[in-house]
Amino acid sequence: MKNAKEMVWKDKDLEARYRRNLEAMEERHRRHPKLASPWALPYKVFTENSMHGIQNMRIRWLIANRPQEYREMMMANVLEQHLRETERRTRHQYGRNMDMLMEQRHLKRRTDVMAAHPEITETDRYYGMIQAQHGAMDMAIHEIVESY
């Protein structure tokens, strides 16, 4: 990763936030020199292996598709918040997609659907729900995790 001094920032707000964090860290080091580490950074480092699940997918997507934004968000200490928000939005979108797919596939247990489609068995409904879950998560990942 480039040194922050060599880096050309796209987002000036994130750069200003990084500079404030750096100044605060340097001030803490001046006040408490015995606690200061020469390797200290004014931000939390995130790598592909430091997160799991949806947050890991998002980090991998950012590194592959938006490396500049990934570095800027990490160095400005906003990446962790961004990852949590991405996970929240993905789970919300998954729920919406799941409801839509269940409705489209007549998998909700409603008497009018049951009467109109007697050929749908409990096993069909179960396998349909499993397929809907996978489809809903795939859609949510594409819509939220793999977008900017």
Side-chain angles (χ1 to χ4, degrees):
M1 184 183 309
K2 288 182 179 179
N3 186 332
K5 293 178 182 176
E6 300 170 4
M7 192 166 139
V8 176
W9 292 75
K10 287 183 180 179
D11 189 324
K12 297 303 177 190
D13 292 334
L14 291 179
E15 180 180 14
R17 190 172 177 148
Y18 168 77
R19 301 264 179 241
R20 286 192 304 272
N21 292 340
L22 180 61
E23 289 170 7
M25 183 189 77
E26 289 170 348
E27 177 61 30
R28 282 191 306 275
H29 286 189
R30 278 191 294 277
R31 277 195 249 141
H32 308 286
K34 291 181 182 177
L35 300 177
S37 168
W39 301 285
L41 296 171
Y43 55 89
K44 189 174 181 179
V45 176
F46 289 92
T47 64
E48 294 176 358
N49 298 325
S50 61
M51 304 304 285
H52 64 278
I54 292 169
Q55 294 182 9
N56 179 276
M57 286 187 266
R58 181 59 173 182
I59 282 180
R60 290 178 185 273
W61 186 88
L62 284 169
I63 290 170
N65 297 289
R66 304 281 183 161
Q68 176 78 19
E69 288 86 349
Y70 161 75
R71 280 190 301 277
E72 289 183 8
M73 285 191 296
M74 181 171 57
M75 293 174 73
N77 271 335
V78 297
L79 183 59
E80 188 171 23
Q81 176 185 349
H82 172 79
L83 295 173
R84 279 196 303 266
E85 179 62 16
T86 299
E87 182 171 16
R88 185 198 64 75
R89 288 177 50 227
T90 302
R91 293 197 184 285
H92 177 74
Q93 188 63 39
Y94 164 76
R96 292 175 58 206
N97 293 344
M98 187 67 182
D99 289 346
M100 177 196 61
L101 291 174
M102 295 284 283
E103 184 71 32
Q104 283 178 351
R105 296 174 185 179
H106 305 294
L107 295 171
K108 289 188 174 180
R109 181 179 287 281
R110 294 193 342 228
T111 55
D112 56 337
V113 171
M114 299 299 289
H117 300 281
E119 71 279 5
I120 297 177
T121 66
E122 288 300 316
T123 304
D124 293 334
R125 185 184 333 290
Y126 173 74
Y127 287 124
M129 285 177 15
I130 298 298
Q131 288 177 335
Q133 287 172 343
H134 291 293
M137 185 52 83
D138 286 344
M139 291 166 60
I141 288 169
H142 178 71
E143 293 168 16
I144 307 297
V145 175
E146 298 174 347
S147 66
Y148 201 77

